[in-house]
Amino acid sequence: MTRPQSLALFCKVVDNFGDIGICWRLARQLQQEHGIDVALWVDDLRSFQRICPEVAINADVQQLAGVTVRHWRDQEGEFSASDVADIVIEFFGVDIPPGYITAMAQREPRPAWFNLEGLSAEEWVEGCHTLPSPHPRLPLKKHFFFPGFTSKTGGLLHEAALEGQREQFQSDQATMAAFMAQFGVTPEEMASLKVSLFCYPHAPVPKLFEAWQDGDTAVTCVVPQGVAADAVRTFLGMDAKPGAVRTVGALTVRVLPFVAQPDYDKLLWACDLNFVRGEDSFVRAQWAGKPFIWHIYPQDKDLHHVKLRAFLGRFAPALQSLNAVSLAWNGAEDAGSGWPALWAQFHAEMPIIGARTADWRSEMLANGDMTSQLLKFEEFLRSARG
């Protein structure tokens, strides 16, 4: 049976970097590890450029790392059956061009069509994973594909070489120091508790900074430019541009430029604690095997708090300090003036949290990587069609 040769992935950027971050990792893995000709349709090339500096923001079509990147404007025109890929993926329920869907119905054989959903630890995901959804008018069927944390879901994005790259990097202190030094991190800062901070603007960053600067442990917090901009600018007393740095009490805050995805992985590997947000950096923090705090993308009616509690219930229900800081960081519980105590308890438990994170990484690896799982399911669908 002929394997799929081409794939079209449609992405609209909603969460600034998370959506395109996931799709860009998926596109590269499909091309590099599985030899599939990938066309990545993306509407926001400027956000894409922040995590992939090679992106030309004015190009309608460009080749990047073996992937064809197409600027997705409002393509409402006609497509022919020959324009349609073997596999079509819409990320998180985006509405792909109607003309493309019409061409999908005209193509023989018809493509496998997937809605790649957002990541959630909620139990209902297992029941919805791979469910079909027939088109109301056309002879097409779309299947929902859910990444997740159990063997009954699609797993998590994970490149084949990632574990080896991480182990090699983390085992070489000189390499880590040289990597951090390019951002201005000094040997003294390398010896401190190193924290990466990536969060949404509403995170209680000022309260955390106060707890750190008044604490007994030296903390170096590295923040990508534009993240927690108001709090960082206030702390620094100057523009929060790359290279800006200030020390107050036990806390040093240093602003970094946005880096390409491979270097962001290295940043997570080099830090002792990672604050991450959304979905892409959240998954990468899990592969880093270091303690992390997740800032979940906010939803109406605080539905994100339900998702947060579902994840914490799977990840580490008994680690009280991790749960307390995570809930307070996301506004699910009011910490008030209690951040110094929260941080002290969390810091004391960091070795235990780190051990749990390493065990969790092994558990997630056992579920298989999401890209391979998706292709296996596509192969199953082709076999069923005969």
Side-chain angles (χ1 to χ4, degrees), residues 81-297:
S82 61
D83 295 324
V84 176
D86 297 327
I87 302 174
V88 178
I89 300 176
E90 56 187 47
F91 181 72
F92 211 27
V94 301
D95 294 323
I96 62 179
Y100 196 94
I101 296 176
T102 299
M104 288 165 59
Q106 297 168 349
R107 185 187 191 273
E108 289 294 342
R110 295 189 180 93
W113 184 10
F114 299 113
N115 180 6
L116 179 57
E117 284 285 352
L119 177 62
S120 177
E122 295 169 285
E123 290 188 7
W124 63 264
V125 166
E126 294 182 342
C128 294
H129 179 53
T130 71
L131 283 182
S133 175
H135 192 277
R137 295 181 295 101
L138 300 173
L140 292 169
K141 187 180 292 184
K142 175 167 56 179
H143 287 82
F144 294 96
F145 195 91
F146 283 83
F149 304 101
T150 74
S151 60
K152 296 180 181 179
T153 65
L156 302 175
L157 267 176
H158 184 279
E159 300 85 357
L162 187 64
E163 281 299 287
Q165 292 168 349
R166 179 193 59 78
E167 291 173 359
Q168 182 177 8
F169 182 83
Q170 290 181 331
S171 65
D172 190 335
Q173 294 296 321
T175 296
M176 283 198 292
F179 173 78
M180 297 296 280
Q182 69 181 307
F183 304 118
V185 176
T186 67
E188 292 75 16
E189 291 166 3
M190 282 297 295
S192 68
L193 182 73
K194 299 175 294 300
V195 182
S196 74
L197 179 63
F198 190 40
C199 61
Y200 296 110
H202 59 281
V205 175
K207 295 180 180 179
L208 185 60
F209 278 3
E210 289 177 10
W212 282 342
Q213 70 187 46
D214 295 337
D216 298 326
T217 300
V219 175
T220 298
C221 179
V222 291
V223 189
Q225 182 183 20
V227 173
D230 291 341
V232 173
R233 188 183 305 111
T234 298
F235 179 88
L236 293 173
M238 66 181 83
D239 288 341
K241 59 184 179 181
V245 60
R246 186 187 182 201
T247 299
V248 178
L251 172 62
T252 298
V253 173
R254 183 177 287 279
V255 181
L256 275 55
F258 255 82
V259 296
Q261 285 183 328
D263 280 347
Y264 183 69
D265 281 328
K266 291 178 181 177
L267 182 67
L268 297 177
W269 300 343
C271 287
D272 304 299
L273 169 63
N274 296 302
F275 284 75
V276 290
R277 78 182 199 190
E279 182 172 328
D280 183 56
S281 61
F282 170 49
V283 171
R284 304 314 281 193
Q286 293 172 60
W287 297 136
K290 300 292 189 72
F292 64 90
I293 299 294
W294 180 29
H295 203 198
I296 189 169
Y297 187 75

Side-chain angles (χ1 to χ4, degrees), residues 316-327 342 345-346 349 353:
L319 293 177
Q320 295 182 358
S321 66
L322 172 65
N323 283 264
V325 171
S326 298
L327 294 171
L342 278 179
Q345 294 167 4
F346 180 89
E349 285 194 13
I353 297 170

Side-chain angles (χ1 to χ4, degrees), residues 70-85:
R70 295 184 176 275
H71 191 184
W72 184 8
R73 303 179 190 272
D74 293 322
Q75 284 94 348
E76 299 296 340
E78 294 184 358
F79 293 82
S80 67
S82 61
D83 295 324
V84 176

